[in-house]
Amino acid sequence: MKKKVSHMVSIVMGSKSDYSTMKFCEKVLKLLNISYETNIVSAHRTPERLNEYAKHAEKSKFKVIIAGAGGAAHLPGMIASHTTIPVIGVPIMVYNDKQMKKTDKNKYSAFGGLDSLLSISEMPTGSPVVAVGVNKASNAGIYALKILGNSYPEIKTKLKKHKFDQYTSVLKESEELKKLGLTKFVKKKFR
Ligand code: RP5
């Protein structure tokens, strides 16, 4: 684990196969110029590394941890049990089971991500983890920014702009829909 860190957010995932989903929370943080670090820590394959990571997180004084995992996703909950830093869990649907042939059907967890969602959200009373929807890594990024926005007014301002951009894009689309009519609009947008 890296020693000297001054990042605000730590992103951690159970496997390299989670990265294709977790990269979307990196994208959100990058867009708003928020410093973060990323690690792979497996709760079941590297339990000692998990302890080490938790100590590193406390020392580094991260403001938020975003933890993504698939299957029986223990990683976010285990990290939360080690630290007082808020943990946002990302349930991941892709499950790269090494016992199986990598056919399309076997790319997904047996319960389509519900297994991970419940593993993360159903932490016993006393050690909470907030969970975003299955594969909703970008929402985890936005939520992390909301937490940071309470202490950093410049982040709050950026988030307000992001909200305003969302608002204006809907108005723009609505105007376009009026102008083109539904059939042409749908053809243009979903071809
Ligand atoms: C979980 O098991 C990881 O978060 C990943 O989603 C899943 C499969 O891991 P690999 O077999 O790809 O290493 O711990």
Side-chain angles (χ1 to χ4, degrees), residues 14-15 17-18 44-45 69-70 94-96 98:
S15 161
S17 53
D18 298 330
H44 62 281
R45 286 176 299 170
V94 174
Y95 184 60
N96 178 14
K98 292 178 180 61

Side-chain angles (χ1 to χ4, degrees), residues 8-11 62-66 85-88 144 147-148:
M8 292 214 269
V9 180
S10 176
I11 299 170
F62 297 127
K63 305 280 185 231
V64 191
I65 294 172
I66 301 175
I85 302 168
V87 179
I88 304 170
I147 295 175
L148 295 173

Side-chain angles (χ1 to χ4, degrees), residues 3 31 96 135 152:
K3 280 262 155 54
L31 207 68
N96 178 14
N135 284 355
Y152 301 92

Side-chain angles (χ1 to χ4, degrees), residues 13-18 41-45 68-75 92-98 102 116:
M13 62 201 86
S15 161
K16 70 173 188 315
S17 53
D18 298 330
V41 177
S42 168
H44 62 281
R45 286 176 299 170
H74 286 36
L75 181 67
I92 292 181
M93 184 165 71
V94 174
Y95 184 60
N96 178 14
D97 197 324
K98 292 178 180 61
K102 305 256 189 316
S116 327

Side-chain angles (χ1 to χ4, degrees), residues 82-175:
H82 276 287
T83 175
T84 56
I85 302 168
V87 179
I88 304 170
V90 183
I92 292 181
M93 184 165 71
V94 174
Y95 184 60
N96 178 14
D97 197 324
K98 292 178 180 61
Q99 307 300 313
M100 292 177 165
K101 269 183 146 179
K102 305 256 189 316
T103 63
D104 269 0
K105 200 174 136 238
N106 296 334
K107 265 198 316 211
Y108 304 107
S109 63
F111 300 96
L114 188 61
D115 41 359
S116 327
L117 175 65
L118 296 178
S119 302
I120 293 171
S121 65
E122 291 303 311
M123 278 296 285
T125 301
S127 195
V129 171
V130 296
V132 293
V134 175
N135 284 355
K136 296 270 192 307
S138 59
N139 267 357
I142 296 172
Y143 200 84
L145 294 173
K146 287 188 171 198
I147 295 175
L148 295 173
N150 285 328
S151 321
Y152 301 92
E154 63 280 13
I155 296 178
K156 214 183 211 9
T157 307
K158 284 180 186 172
L159 275 173
K160 281 189 179 157
K161 184 178 175 309
H162 170 77
K163 265 204 178 306
F164 184 71
D165 289 348
Q166 279 184 331
Y167 173 84
T168 49
S169 79
V170 172
L171 294 192
K172 223 174 116 193
E173 298 230 303
S174 178
E175 280 309 309

